[in-house]
Amino acid sequence: MTIFPGSARVEMVMGMPVSVDIRTALPAREMTPLLDDAFSWLRWVDDTFSPVREDSQIGRLNRGQTIKQIPEFIEVLHRCDEISQATDGYFEARINGVTDPSGYIKGWALERLSRALVNAGAGDHRISAGEDIRVRGSAAPGKRWRVGIRDPRKDVIRKVVFAHDLGIATSGGAPIVNPHTGAVEEGFGSVTVIGPDLGMADAYATAIYAMGPMLARRFAADLAAGPYQTMIITRDGQEISTPGFTEYSGTEARLAG
């Protein structure tokens, strides 16, 4: 089988292994600094947005200290407010006076990195951080990327999707709080959202999980009228997907509206 040249690197960032796999043929003199810049960006995001770092901008904001007027910081906070409105508050980056954009920031960071790689001429790549994955271009000449969607609770592959350009975000591996009740939502095994922007897919997956079974299915069905599709794994292991999800996986499960 013909494969692309390229290079891949894995580093620990944001408390997890992050993988950048570039398949575009680039000379080593370009590839090495490109990967260096990719991980420098991700470390900057962690340094700026981490809610557990006291010296991060989020940490300073939560302690009422002066923060820098960083364009990306303002962009993220505004986008989180917009997503909160769009999800009726089930995605919420501000709870009880504490700001934590974790449900959006990882997907946003990988999406921004993916666009930067395209602009740098590395259009064939896969970026993975936990259950957030962004693919573009081809894995090999003429071949779509093959992505296994992992059940974060059971560590098994629940679905395989094939795509040239897609963001894939799964929620359920860590506790998710319903912002309206303050209680940890336990109605699902996991929620996966796929679509053109990984940051939005990440936030939608968090919101849908927080909604609980009844509201989640209705919201996912409404969301499917646009470019974002959803797969829900129930607590008993049942798999329910919106129709557009199956276009990437070839299965027949459907989500009743």
Side-chain angles (χ1 to χ4, degrees):
M1 181 181 70
T2 302
I3 61 172
F4 279 164
S7 185
R9 186 185 297 179
V10 179
E11 293 188 13
M12 289 294 296
V13 187
M14 298 181 283
M16 67 186 71
V18 178
S19 169
V20 180
D21 182 354
I22 298 173
R23 300 292 175 89
T24 305
L26 293 173
R29 67 178 182 275
E30 295 181 21
M31 186 71 76
T32 298
L34 191 60
L35 288 169
D36 289 344
D37 288 346
F39 284 98
S40 293
W41 158 252
L42 294 173
R43 283 190 291 271
W44 179 87
V45 170
D46 193 28
D47 290 343
T48 302
F49 292 97
S50 171
V52 299
R53 291 175 181 260
E54 290 188 358
D55 59 342
S56 75
Q57 294 302 299
I58 288 292
R60 294 181 62 84
L61 177 66
N62 286 332
R63 295 197 309 277
Q65 296 178 326
T66 303
I67 61 174
K68 299 177 182 178
Q69 295 299 306
I70 301 172
E72 292 88 348
F73 188 78
I74 297 170
E75 173 194 338
V76 166
L77 295 185
H78 285 172
R79 183 58 60 87
C80 285
D81 287 341
E82 293 172 353
I83 299 170
S84 177
Q85 293 180 2
T87 60
D88 194 25
Y90 282 96
F91 175 90
E92 184 54 70
R94 295 184 178 95
I95 299 178
N96 297 326
V98 176
T99 299
D100 181 359
S102 298
Y104 173 68
I105 194 65
K106 180 154 57 77
W108 172 83
L110 269 58
E111 182 67 32
R112 288 283 295 262
L113 174 55
S114 178
R115 295 175 187 178
L117 290 176
V118 170
N119 291 336
D124 305 290
H125 59 257
R126 169 177 171 155
I127 312 170
S128 304
E131 305 308 320
D132 284 3
I133 301 166
R134 187 62 167 94
V135 296
R136 285 189 195 266
S138 300
K143 299 293 185 180
R144 294 177 295 171
W145 290 94
R146 181 183 187 275
V147 181
I149 299 176
R150 191 175 65 90
D151 184 329
R153 292 176 179 267
K154 298 182 178 180
D155 198 26
V156 297
I157 301 298
R158 292 300 307 248
K159 183 77 68 181
V160 176
V161 299
F162 300 87
H164 287 294
D165 186 354
L166 195 67
I168 304 158
T170 299
S171 291
I176 294 177
V177 172
N178 179 333
H180 293 288
T181 65
V184 174
E185 178 56 50
E186 298 181 342
F188 295 125
S190 65
V191 173
T192 299
V193 175
I194 61 176
D197 185 293
L198 181 57
M200 294 301 297
D202 197 4
Y204 281 140
T206 300
I208 292 171
Y209 194 103
M211 289 176 184
M214 294 295 291
L215 287 176
R217 292 179 64 152
R218 188 179 310 140
F219 185 88
D222 291 341
L223 192 64
Y228 293 92
Q229 305 296 325
T230 303
M231 178 179 71
I232 294 171
I233 304 298
T234 64
R235 292 290 291 182
D236 62 2
Q238 182 184 2
E239 182 181 301
I240 312 165
S241 302
T242 52
F245 203 103
T246 64
E247 295 178 8
Y248 294 91
S249 59
T251 59
E252 298 298 327
R254 294 291 186 267
L255 178 72

